[in-house]
Amino acid sequence: MATVCTPHTISPAAIVSSSPVRCSHSQSHLLFRSNFPNRRHHSPNLPISAPNLRAATKGRVLCSQNPNPTPTRRPDYVPNRISDPNYVRIFDTTLRDGEQSPGASLTSKEKLDIARQLAKLGVDIIEAGFPAASKDDFEAVKMIAKEVGNFVDKDGYVPVICGLSRCNEKDIKTAWEAVKYAKRPRIHTFIATSPIHMEHKLRKTKEQVIEIARSMVSYARSLGCQDVEFSPEDAGRSEKEFLYQILGEVIKAGATTLNIPDTVGYTVPTEFGQLIADIKSNTPGIDNVIISTHCQNDLGLSTANTLAGASRGARQLEVTINGIGERAGNASLEEVVMTLNCRGEHVLGGLYTGINPRHIYMTSKMVSEYTGMHVQPHKAIVGANAFAHESGIHQDGMLKDKRTYEIISPEDIGYDRSNEAGIVLGKLSGRHAVKKQLEELGYELDDVQLETVFWRFKGVAEQKKRVTDADLRALVSDEVFQPEVVWKLHDLQVTCGTLGLSTATVKLIDADGREHIACSVGTGPVDSAYKAVDLIVKVR
C-alpha cells in the first residue's frame, strides 16, 4: 500500500487494499509520483473534484513530474515483502556486474564514491561486489557496508548492501563477513540451472544442483543473514518445470528474493514476461518472496525485458548505471527508472520507484569518468544528444513549445544544457534556430542581414559537424558589421625580376562604382603596388 501523506489528494495507485497504514517518518522516505488519474483504479470515494482532474491532465504530454506531485512514502523495508504492490525496488549492480566490463576496474575509493552517489540517488539495494573474488573486493564491500550501509537519512532511508557469492560455503561466508556490518545486509548466491550450464560447466545432475542450492541458502541463513537472494543462473534458457522445483526448494530453505536472470540476453520481452508470470503462478511458496529480474543486453532488449518482467509481477529490478556490464551490458538504471517515471502510472498499472531522478545525470557522469567507459552520444536519457536538436523542423518545434519533441525535461535528471531549447547548430538547422541563437548572443539582425548570415552559416555548416557560437560571431562580424567600403581592389598586375625596378598596375573601384587605374615603379612588387594605390587615393 502507498501511504499518502497529504489530506488533499490521494494517489490512485494507493487504492489497492483497505488495510490501515502507518506513516513512519523514521523508516520511510519521501517519494513523488505522478498525479495523473489512473482510471483503472479510480474510485468515487476519492476526494478529488472533476475540475481538479481536468486541471491535472489538461495539455499534459510530457513525462516530467507534475508541478504538484503527490507525496508518498517509500514502503518500510521487509526483505521478503513490500507493503505497496505497486512499489518496485531498484537493485543496482554497477559495482559488481558493471565492474565486470572489460577495462572497467575501480579502486576501493572510487567504489565508495559511487556507492555514496547511488545512495543519494535512492537505490534500494546496492550490490557492492563479489567479496570472494579478491581481497581488494572484500575490503571494498566491507567499507561500503560500514559507511554507506549505516548512513540513515532524515527520512529513515538506508540502502541494503549486498554481496555476491557462488553456491559454496567459502564464498557465502566471505560475503557475509563483508556485508554484515551494514544495517541491512544481504547475501546473493547463485548456481546455474540451464541444461547447457549443468552439463558442460557444472557437470552435475538436476538433483545435485537442487541440493546445492537448498543447502547453501540454508547455510546463508544459518550465519545470521535474514535477507538472502537466490539466482538460477541462465534462467532464460532453463526448463520451466525445473525452475519451479528449485525455486520452491530455496524458498523453503529461507530465500527472501528470487532473481530470474536472462544471463545471456536470449529472451524477448513477451517471452521473458511470460516466464515471470509462469514462475509467479507455479512456484510453491512464491507469495512469501520478492521476484526480481536481471536482464543482459546481448540482443539489445535488456530494458524491454526488465519492464516486461515488472509488468508481470517482478518487484525488484536489477540494473546498472549507463547499462555497463558483461559483454553487451545490463538493463540501464536510467532507462528503466525514467520509463516507470514516465509511463508507470498510465500503462504499467501504477508502478513506481524510490529513485530521485535529479541525481541520474551526475551519477552517470561519475560512473563514466571512474570506469573510463564513455557514454555513447545517442544513449537514451544520459547521452550527449539525448536533449540536443539539430534538425531545422525539430528546432522550430522546440522553440515554439518544447513538448513537441521532448517527453522528458533535462532538468528532471539533473542536466543543465547550454541553451533552453537544446539547439545544436548544423547543416540541417533552419533560419528560426539561427536567429534564436544569434539573439541569445546579443545580435538583433534585420531580415536582409539575417538572410546574408544564414547562407554564410549554411556554407560553414557544410564543412563542420557543428557550428559554434564563436563561428556565428565571426560570420556576423564578416557579413554585417564590416566598415563602409570606400575603395575596392579590382585588379592587380605586377612585373618584377633582376633586370630593373618592379612595376605594378592597380585598378580600384570607388564608393560610386567608378574605376581608377594607376601604374608605379618601386624597389619590389609590394612597394610598387602600394605606390600605385597611393597615386589613386591621393595619399601623401
Side-chain angles (χ1 to χ4, degrees):
M1 294 170 288
T3 308
V4 180
C5 299
T6 173
H8 304 296
T9 310
I10 293 180
S11 169
I15 309 172
V16 294
S17 172
S18 58
S19 303
V21 180
R22 285 202 310 269
C23 182
S24 171
H25 290 268
S26 63
Q27 297 181 5
S28 301
H29 184 64
L30 186 63
L31 307 176
F32 293 94
R33 64 175 161 180
S34 173
N35 198 24
F36 293 122
N38 185 331
R39 298 194 181 276
R40 288 186 298 175
H41 295 296
H42 182 58
S43 165
N45 297 323
L46 281 173
I48 304 176
S49 65
N52 285 338
L53 285 174
R54 287 195 295 271
T57 58
K58 183 179 180 181
R60 295 296 296 176
V61 293
L62 276 170
C63 295
S64 304
Q65 295 173 345
N66 285 341
N68 300 300
T70 304
T72 63
R73 294 276 168 183
R74 185 192 298 266
D76 292 347
Y77 185 78
V78 178
N80 66 330
R81 187 166 57 255
I82 303 175
S83 58
D84 184 351
N86 287 338
Y87 184 78
V88 178
R89 288 175 179 167
I90 297 298
F91 177 113
D92 184 273
T93 183
T94 302
L95 298 176
R96 198 276 301 170
D97 198 318
E99 197 194 15
Q100 291 175 207
S101 301
S105 60
L106 298 163
T107 67
S108 294
K109 172 63 168 57
E110 289 170 338
K111 285 189 173 185
L112 181 60
D113 288 345
I114 292 174
R116 287 173 175 150
Q117 186 64 27
L118 292 172
K120 188 181 294 185
L121 187 62
V123 302
D124 298 275
I125 302 100
I126 298 174
E127 188 166 51
F130 193 161
S134 70
K135 183 178 180 181
D136 286 344
D137 216 26
F138 174 86
E139 292 298 333
V141 175
K142 183 177 178 180
M143 179 169 56
I144 292 169
K146 287 183 174 181
E147 297 195 28
V148 181
N150 281 280
F151 181 78
V152 183
D153 73 6
K154 59 184 177 62
D155 296 305
Y157 159 77
V158 60
V160 173
I161 305 300
C162 176
L164 183 70
S165 69
R166 292 164 294 193
C167 269
N168 64 63
E169 290 189 3
K170 181 182 177 182
D171 272 24
I172 292 171
K173 183 70 159 52
T174 303
W176 176 243
E177 290 300 319
V179 302
K180 69 180 182 182
Y181 300 96
K183 185 177 178 66
R184 294 172 178 166
R186 175 185 290 191
I187 293 173
H188 179 191
T189 190
F190 70 96
I191 191 169
T193 55
S194 66
I196 192 170
H197 275 249
M198 289 189 292
E199 179 183 353
H200 297 286
K201 186 180 77 172
L202 299 181
R203 297 181 180 178
K204 296 187 182 298
T205 65
K206 291 180 179 180
E207 291 72 21
Q208 289 174 314
V209 170
I210 289 175
E211 177 54 28
I212 291 170
R214 184 201 61 75
S215 62
M216 289 302 101
V217 169
S218 179
Y219 176 70
R221 289 299 299 258
S222 73
L223 296 175
C225 184
Q226 301 302 308
D227 193 352
V228 177
E229 177 173 337
F230 173 77
S231 290
E233 186 185 10
D234 203 18
R237 294 189 295 175
S238 298
E239 297 171 1
K240 286 187 179 181
E241 293 298 329
F242 181 55
L243 283 178
Y244 308 151
Q245 186 180 1
I246 192 171
L247 293 176
E249 290 298 317
V250 297
I251 290 173
K252 288 191 287 186
T256 53
T257 298
L258 299 182
N259 179 48
I260 310 304
D262 184 16
T263 305
V264 293
Y266 179 70
T267 63
V268 298
T270 52
E271 183 181 15
F272 188 75
Q274 189 60 50
L275 174 61
I276 297 298
D278 290 342
I279 288 172
K280 189 174 176 64
S281 299
N282 295 287
T283 303
I286 197 70
D287 292 336
N288 298 318
V289 297
I290 303 299
I291 301 176
S292 172
T293 67
H294 182 110
C295 299
Q296 299 291 138
N297 201 38
D298 296 70
L299 294 177
L301 296 171
S302 57
T303 294
N305 284 344
T306 297
L307 293 167
S311 69
R312 301 304 295 272
R315 287 299 177 266
Q316 175 181 289
L317 308 179
E318 302 200 358
V319 292
T320 61
I321 300 297
N322 299 335
I324 64 173
E326 287 273 14
R327 301 182 312 282
N330 289 275
S332 163
L333 179 145
E334 56 273 12
E335 294 173 13
V336 169
V337 167
M338 292 310 293
T339 300
L340 291 175
N341 191 54
C342 182
R343 307 305 309 280
E345 187 75 19
H346 300 285
V347 298
L348 294 172
L351 299 183
Y352 71 106
T353 74
I355 297 297
N356 182 347
R358 292 188 181 274
H359 293 290
I360 284 177
Y361 186 73
M362 183 60 70
T363 310
S364 169
K365 290 287 288 183
M366 177 183 285
V367 170
S368 176
E369 290 171 4
Y370 280 10
T371 62
M373 302 192 72
H374 300 296
V375 176
Q376 61 197 39
H378 56 280
K379 169 76 169 65
I381 314 300
V382 293
N385 293 344
F387 298 100
H389 306 271
E390 184 174 330
S391 164
I393 295 173
H394 288 221
Q395 290 174 343
D396 183 61
M398 284 294 295
L399 291 169
K400 292 172 179 175
D401 190 326
K402 287 189 282 295
R403 294 175 300 175
T404 54
Y405 287 103
E406 285 187 354
I407 60 171
I408 299 169
S409 170
E411 292 77 18
D412 288 350
I413 64 164
Y415 174 61
D416 295 323
R417 55 188 169 192
S418 58
N419 61 71
E420 186 180 358
I423 288 177
V424 176
L425 295 181
K427 66 179 183 179
L428 300 178
S429 298
R431 289 174 180 79
H432 194 178
V434 173
K435 181 180 180 181
K436 180 69 175 178
Q437 192 64 17
L438 287 170
E439 289 174 352
E440 290 191 8
L441 294 175
Y443 297 115
E444 295 287 342
L445 306 184
D446 60 32
D447 291 344
V448 175
Q449 292 172 328
L450 177 63
E451 190 71 9
T452 301
V453 170
F454 177 72
W455 287 112
R456 278 294 305 278
F457 157 80
K458 281 289 192 179
V460 172
E462 288 289 341
Q463 306 300 319
K464 299 183 65 176
K465 289 186 177 180
R466 289 190 177 182
V467 179
T468 66
D469 290 348
D471 294 326
L472 281 183
R473 291 190 181 97
L475 289 176
V476 173
S477 178
D478 286 347
E479 297 296 330
V480 179
F481 298 131
Q482 287 288 343
E484 182 181 355
V485 175
V486 178
W487 296 100
K488 181 179 179 181
L489 178 65
H490 190 272
D491 288 312
L492 170 65
Q493 179 176 300
V494 176
T495 303
C496 60
T498 60
L499 299 178
L501 294 175
S502 298
T503 303
T505 301
V506 173
K507 181 191 289 187
L508 299 183
I509 309 296
D510 66 18
D512 297 324
R514 294 192 299 268
E515 294 182 354
H516 301 263
I517 301 175
C519 298
S520 181
V521 295
T523 57
V526 176
D527 182 53
S528 60
Y530 270 100
K531 285 180 176 178
V533 170
D534 289 346
L535 290 174
I536 296 174
V537 300
K538 306 289 192 282
V539 174
R540 298 288 181 265

